[in-house]
Amino acid sequence: MFDLDGKVALVTGAGQGVGAGISRVLAAQGAAVAVNDLHEDRAQATVAAIESAGGSALAVVFDVADPSAAARGIETAEKALGPLGILVNNAGVPAGMGVQQFRESDPAEWRKYIDLNLYGVMNCCHAAINGMCERGWGRIITISSGAGAIGINLGISAYGAGKGGAMGFMRHLAMETAGNGVTANTIAVGMIDNHADPSVAGHMAKTVPVGRLGQPEDIAGLCTYLASDEASWMTGQTIHLNGGNVTT
Ligand SMILES: NC(=O)c1ccc[n+]([C@@H]2O[C@H](COP(=O)([O-])OP(=O)(O)OC[C@H]3O[C@@H](n4cnc5c(N)ncnc54)[C@H](O)[C@@H]3O)[C@@H](O)[C@H]2O)c1
């Protein structure tokens, strides 16, 4: 089950964290993976990890928030690896992301969140979708957050707006592409153990019913299912994956 042999995937923001974990697991299941990031060194590190495990990968450096760069990046990936079947929109944390209450915020700051979390997703989908529909097979997976579905914390309204916008976009994209064999689903991720210092991580873990923060591989498992042939009847859904701290 969930054999991705012969499939080509592109994962955005895959130089570290959740995207790197998704890339490693998709490659382990047989996909050739285009590893996107803004930072070449990070993308190359994920490629090296995949190759050292016997998988196939290519670094493709571009900014998902730039529509022309996204189109060129997907074209580069397809020339090198073959037609894209799986797109994972994972890039979503702007550089220097901080906590700022809306009434004290500057419009230039919010735009970074919308550009990355909403337009970034739309740019990559727009560049990939026609080829997938023409070939009659595609899997689009967007990594969102519980913060796009419920009020979760103070100071992250612009992030929540971007994530919620992407969820709404994906539901409607799914309706447009279902007849062409292309599914579109969203994973709303909870707190992942990839940055916080151990004392902060320990405190955060106490708020998660299963008693731990998520690992990138927790997300990668569901992503692999959504990317597979077996998931052809699953589309237009937002699936919360968070150890139980957001239930819907
Ligand atoms: N970490 C969490 O606790 C958590 C919780 C909920 C949702 N998420 C979501 O999961 C996804 C991954 O989060 P993470 O914590 O692994 O992030 P991260 O910051 O560890 O890694 C993200 C990567 O994306 C790259 N990136 C940033 N902007 C980019 C752009 N414009 N174009 C291309 N690449 C870009 C960065 O260079 C970085 O390597 C994000 O969408 C995030 O919103 C994370």
Side-chain angles (χ1 to χ4, degrees), residues 178-203:
N180 297 86
V182 179
T183 67
N185 292 291
T186 301
I187 305 177
V189 169
M191 290 179 288
I192 301 296
D193 187 8
N194 61 351
H195 292 307
D197 79 41
S199 63
V200 176
H203 176 70

Side-chain angles (χ1 to χ4, degrees), residues 220-237:
L222 176 56
C223 202
T224 302
Y225 163 66
L226 293 174
S228 70
D229 284 321
E230 285 83 351
S232 62
W233 212 49
M234 169 77 97
T235 197
Q237 304 304 312

Side-chain angles (χ1 to χ4, degrees), residues 20-46:
I22 291 170
S23 300
R24 289 192 299 269
V25 173
L26 295 183
Q29 293 308 111
V33 181
V35 175
N36 159 259
D37 206 281
L38 271 180
H39 301 280
E40 166 114 42
D41 56 333
R42 293 185 192 175
Q44 292 294 2
T46 302

Side-chain angles (χ1 to χ4, degrees), residues 89 121 125 129 132-133 138-142 165-186 226 231-238:
N89 296 301
V121 171
C125 288
I129 199 75
M132 289 182 181
C133 287
R139 299 284 182 267
I140 300 177
I141 301 147
T142 290
M167 287 176 178
F169 165 70
M170 289 292 289
R171 290 188 187 104
H172 290 88
L173 181 69
M175 295 179 76
E176 291 188 14
T177 61
N180 297 86
V182 179
T183 67
N185 292 291
T186 301
L226 293 174
S232 62
W233 212 49
M234 169 77 97
T235 197
Q237 304 304 312
T238 297

Side-chain angles (χ1 to χ4, degrees), residues 13 16 18 37 39 42 63-64 90 159 163 190 192 194-195:
Q16 65 180 36
V18 173
D37 206 281
H39 301 280
R42 293 185 192 175
D63 179 353
V64 299
N90 166 79
Y159 178 71
K163 290 301 196 193
I192 301 296
N194 61 351
H195 292 307

Side-chain angles (χ1 to χ4, degrees), residues 9-223:
L10 184 140
V11 184
T12 68
Q16 65 180 36
V18 173
I22 291 170
S23 300
R24 289 192 299 269
V25 173
L26 295 183
Q29 293 308 111
V33 181
V35 175
N36 159 259
D37 206 281
L38 271 180
H39 301 280
E40 166 114 42
D41 56 333
R42 293 185 192 175
Q44 292 294 2
T46 302
V47 168
I50 290 171
E51 288 178 343
S52 71
S56 170
L58 170 82
V60 188
V61 177
F62 64 87
D63 179 353
V64 299
D66 175 342
S68 325
R72 283 196 305 275
I74 288 178
E75 198 182 327
T76 301
E78 293 195 315
K79 273 192 185 137
L81 301 177
L84 190 65
I86 301 163
L87 169 66
V88 182
N89 296 301
N90 166 79
V93 182
M97 175 170 158
V99 172
Q100 188 177 38
Q101 298 220 18
F102 183 69
R103 61 189 181 146
E104 292 153 6
S105 66
D106 182 320
E109 279 300 306
W110 335 319
R111 288 207 179 94
K112 284 199 275 187
Y113 293 88
I114 309 299
D115 279 349
L116 177 55
N117 286 291
L118 178 55
Y119 287 122
V121 171
M122 294 172 79
N123 291 336
C124 292
C125 288
H126 198 248
I129 199 75
N130 284 333
M132 289 182 181
C133 287
E134 280 157 21
R135 292 185 291 275
W137 198 93
R139 299 284 182 267
I140 300 177
I141 301 147
T142 290
I143 305 302
S144 186
S145 164
I150 64 163
I152 215 160
N153 220 329
L154 304 181
I156 59 167
S157 58
Y159 178 71
K163 290 301 196 193
M167 287 176 178
F169 165 70
M170 289 292 289
R171 290 188 187 104
H172 290 88
L173 181 69
M175 295 179 76
E176 291 188 14
T177 61
N180 297 86
V182 179
T183 67
N185 292 291
T186 301
I187 305 177
V189 169
M191 290 179 288
I192 301 296
D193 187 8
N194 61 351
H195 292 307
D197 79 41
S199 63
V200 176
H203 176 70
M204 286 162 69
K206 289 191 184 127
T207 68
V208 181
V210 302
R212 67 172 177 87
L213 300 182
Q215 296 297 325
E217 287 70 17
D218 291 314
I219 312 307
L222 176 56
C223 202

